[in-house]
Amino acid sequence: MSGGGDELRLVIRESSPTPVYEQIRAQIEGMVKVGALHDGDKLPSVRQLAGDLRLAPGTVAKAYAELAERGVIETAPGRAARIRRVTTVPEPLLQAAKTYAEQSHRLGATFEDAINALRAQWD
C-alpha cells in the first residue's frame, strides 16, 4: 500500500449479517495484524475506496473512523489515512492458521464453515 498504486483487496459479502463498514474495518485490521499492512502505509482515500467497492463514502468513512478510534490508523483533514500501529499475530499462530486453511480447502469447506468450526472449538 505504501505510496504507489498498490490495491487494497477487500471482499464484501452482501449476504453476511455483519454490516459492510464492519467487514471493511475487520479486514483492514486483520491485514495489519498479519503484517500485510505496515506502519506508515497509506490507505486509499474514502472516496477512492468507496468507488472501488461501489459503496457509499459514508460506509468507508465509518470504517476508517472506527479504525482510527482503535488506534490502527491515523487520519487528519486533507491527509491520507495511514497505518499507525502494527501488532502482528505470532508466526506459530499464522502457520497453524495456514495449515487449517489448507486442510479446510482439501475438505471442500467454505470459509464460513471453517470459521464456524473454529468457533465451535474455541471454548
Side-chain angles (χ1 to χ4, degrees):
M1 284 298 331
S2 57
D6 290 337
E7 186 177 320
L8 184 65
R9 296 183 192 271
L10 301 174
V11 176
I12 304 303
R13 289 183 164 79
E14 293 179 17
S15 62
S16 173
T18 304
V20 172
Y21 77 89
E22 178 63 18
Q23 292 180 50
I24 295 168
R25 186 216 49 83
Q27 288 180 58
I28 291 173
E29 192 167 350
M31 288 178 201
V32 170
K33 287 184 177 183
V34 299
L37 292 174
H38 305 95
D39 190 35
D41 282 353
K42 280 197 250 182
L43 293 177
S45 70
V46 167
R47 244 179 245 272
Q48 179 186 342
L49 187 56
D52 291 348
L53 297 174
R54 297 187 177 144
L55 299 171
T59 302
V60 175
K62 186 169 184 176
Y64 277 19
E66 290 208 2
L67 287 164
E69 189 175 298
R70 291 170 175 253
V72 176
I73 66 171
E74 55 185 24
T75 59
R79 298 179 65 199
R82 291 185 179 271
I83 302 301
R84 178 172 173 212
R85 182 184 62 173
V86 177
T87 305
T88 58
V89 173
E91 186 62 31
L93 183 56
L94 289 174
Q95 285 302 316
K98 181 179 179 184
T99 301
Y100 179 64
E102 289 169 351
Q103 182 66 19
S104 296
H105 280 287
R106 278 194 293 279
L107 293 171
T110 66
F111 177 75
E112 288 78 15
D113 289 342
I115 293 298
N116 287 334
L118 181 60
R119 277 192 187 108
Q121 298 302 314
W122 194 256
D123 290 328

